[in-house]
């Protein structure tokens, strides 16, 4: 049995599932919180965007490591 190709990219594909789920949870729960308490929208949106950025950084680090290693 001969396996050809780069297994790093398969690992990255599996690792990208986590940030994808994280982004979905961040925005889903953020929208729920805004729906429950509309007056806190400004504060909640800022926190959602920070959480989104930190979650996406994990995916970008995984992408870089997939090509470096």
């Amino acid at each position: 049995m001969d396996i050809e190709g780069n297994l790093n990219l398969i690992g990255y594909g599996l690792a990208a599932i986590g940030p994808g789920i994280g982004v979905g949870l961040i925005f889903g729960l953020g929208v729920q919180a805004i729906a429950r308490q509309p007056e806190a929208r400004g504060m909640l949106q800022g926190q959602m965007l920070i959480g989104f950025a930190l979650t996406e950084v994990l995916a970008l680090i995984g992408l870089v490591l997939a090509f470096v290693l």
Side-chain angles (χ1 to χ4, degrees):
M1 179 194 251
D2 190 27
I3 299 176
E4 293 183 19
N6 194 348
L7 293 178
N8 290 340
L9 296 178
I10 293 173
Y12 170 68
L14 293 174
I17 293 172
I21 293 171
V23 168
L25 287 173
I26 288 169
F27 283 108
L29 294 176
V31 168
Q32 266 186 355
I34 291 171
R36 290 175 188 234
Q37 208 168 12
E39 64 272 4
R41 180 177 186 211
M43 183 180 64
L44 291 171
Q45 272 187 328
Q47 291 177 351
M48 282 172 45
L49 291 177
I50 290 172
F52 169 73
L54 292 174
T55 305
E56 283 300 314
V57 166
L58 292 175
L60 290 175
I61 290 172
L63 178 64
V64 170
L65 288 178
F67 287 111
V68 170
L69 299 177

